[in-house]
Amino acid sequence: MAAAGTQGPGATDCVTKVAISISCENLLDMDTFSKSDPMCVLLMNTSGPHWCEIGRTEKIKNCLNPSFSKTFVIDYYFEMVQKLRFEVYDIDSDNHSLQDADFLGELDCTLGQIVSSRKLTRPLVMKDKSPAGKGTITICAEERTDNRVVEFEVSARKLDKKDFFGKSDPFLEFYKQTETGWQLAHRTEVVKNNLNPIWRPFRIPMQSLCGDDVEKPIKVDCYDYNSSGSHDFIGSFQSTIAQIQQGSQTYAAEFECINSKKKQKKKGYKNSGVIIVKQCKIVKEYTFLDYIMGGCQINFTIAIDFTGSNGDPRTPQSLHYINPQGYNEYLAAIWAVGNVIQDYDSDKMFPAFGFGAKIPPTMQVSHEFPINFNPSNPFCAGIEGVVCAYQQCLPQVKLYGPTNFSPIINHVAHFGRQAIEQQTASQYFVLLIITDGVITDMDETRRAIVNASRLPMSIIIVGVGGADFSAMEFLDGDDGILRSATGEAAMRDIVQFVPFRQFQNGPPEMLAQSVLAEVPGQVMGFFNTMSLKPPHGDTRLTDLSASAPPSDVS
């Protein structure tokens, strides 16, 4: 789930949080031999002509009528007009780049319109406002007043074999009952070639699944995934959270997966497999503010690219050239992001490093050097101290190469590893890498990010200049899971990439908002997944099953 804060008057003025889910119908088919692979991008108008990306749904392969599983949670301000834009793309590249994507249509509306309608269906239009074929988009809004989630551990056994040459590739869809029918609340990952799958543990917001009513029916469908987009229905069951909890108290709740068409046709039909719910636990999910106000420290590290591809700093063509007004893109990025993040850092002391330069006194290449040249104390006092150290460092180093990200990622990860050993949510680390986009140690960087995804750590990459940033977009796994070169998957998406020039002409806070958009969700998601409560919180992240009815309620 993506969480987004808007530039509202202040946290106390926020009326409520709204969860938004998206589906489309009759999308344009842009692929010759298959169907479009749609993904929806949500943007918010922040000031004048400037739009800030709030987040992206997952990509759904070969589907013209997608129901996206990913939801967005937005702060709703009753007194403000919050303009939203939903852009739908057919994604053709592995890195989910919008530059290579076909545009399928968009909708502009306000959050107020969605909230007042609760369910808004509108035609999609192209950039010139002409109809996008017969394509429509449906946006559902739900006030998020409850921060409880349901934690599931689910597996299955003896599912029907649907594939001619192999076993089935099963996934599950969980549905909430609404006045207008069943609404998708969660979709699991696909487990390949397995009739006895074990899905990764997952959480569903209680409101999204049952509207906080543990006696309200939910539906679970099981499908065999096909890359063509037409998935084979294996079977389904209905139950309630109360029934599932009751059944899973001893060992596990088991539900027959029933295919009603098969049942009608086949004599002696028993089931199409059994879905096993080993855990169904209601827990409180702490918010970003719970952690910050509960004593969690955000530790901010800056890493600056001093490689030769930036150009000679003495010439105006260089990205490191500081003009007579004291400006370059590196400085602008440090100021914009640093000014926001320093509010969350109590001592305002920031370690700042460079990489890819020959440094004094030996003029050997270093991929991780303090820009104040003091290895025992790389800290700079405030953002002003970082800027000052950068300006003094620049004439003393020789820009060189190669461009290696992994040493600085591993450096910060070392502190993240120490913090997590304390088993508290007291420290979270944010690494800001400012780079011209060329990267040499891609395999090592992927491995470093995959390892860091298990730690209290986020990585923000700001791309300066006009180079090809496809490698950076690949690392930012907004859709799909980043894997190391050996195939090991990241536990979560911790990389956020933003190209500086998209924000060059806007106010500095626009860059900061876009750069930091994913950090609150990453902080919250990590600590909740690890069941770590805020250090000074007075409530524990524990099983809230007591809020469910007694087990003798049928």
Side-chain angles (χ1 to χ4, degrees), residues 378-423:
F379 293 89
C380 303
I383 294 305
E384 295 88 347
V386 175
V387 167
C388 204
Y390 167 74
Q391 289 168 329
Q392 289 172 7
C393 165
L394 202 49
Q396 299 184 62
V397 300
K398 178 175 171 47
L399 273 59
Y400 205 68
T403 310
N404 292 349
F405 281 13
S406 58
I408 190 65
I409 294 172
N410 289 330
H411 173 88
V412 176
H414 170 73
F415 295 100
R417 208 164 279 112
Q418 288 179 332
I420 202 64
E421 284 169 5
Q422 307 303 313
Q423 287 296 303

Side-chain angles (χ1 to χ4, degrees), residues 331-392:
L331 283 169
I334 292 167
W335 275 118
V337 182
N339 276 331
V340 174
I341 202 99
Q342 70 179 353
D343 290 343
Y344 296 102
D345 196 307
S346 58
D347 65 4
K348 308 281 188 286
M349 297 296 288
F350 302 118
F353 295 89
F355 59 91
K358 290 183 172 181
I359 62 169
T362 60
M363 297 314 280
Q364 295 289 309
V365 176
S366 173
H367 301 296
E368 179 201 326
F369 61 90
I371 61 172
N372 65 3
F373 300 114
N374 184 349
S376 60
N377 184 13
F379 293 89
C380 303
I383 294 305
E384 295 88 347
V386 175
V387 167
C388 204
Y390 167 74
Q391 289 168 329
Q392 289 172 7

Side-chain angles (χ1 to χ4, degrees), residues 284-296 423-426 527-528 531-541:
K284 173 179 173 172
E285 187 158 74
Y286 292 107
T287 66
F288 177 63
L289 281 180
D290 287 336
Y291 284 108
I292 295 300
M293 295 167 83
C296 178
Q423 287 296 303
T424 64
S426 56
F527 288 133
N528 277 306
S531 298
L532 295 175
K533 59 174 184 164
H536 311 314
D538 55 358
T539 51
R540 293 187 60 80
L541 186 63

Side-chain angles (χ1 to χ4, degrees), residues 510-521:
M510 281 243 357
L511 173 70
Q513 189 181 8
S514 183
V515 161
L516 300 171
E518 293 183 14
V519 170

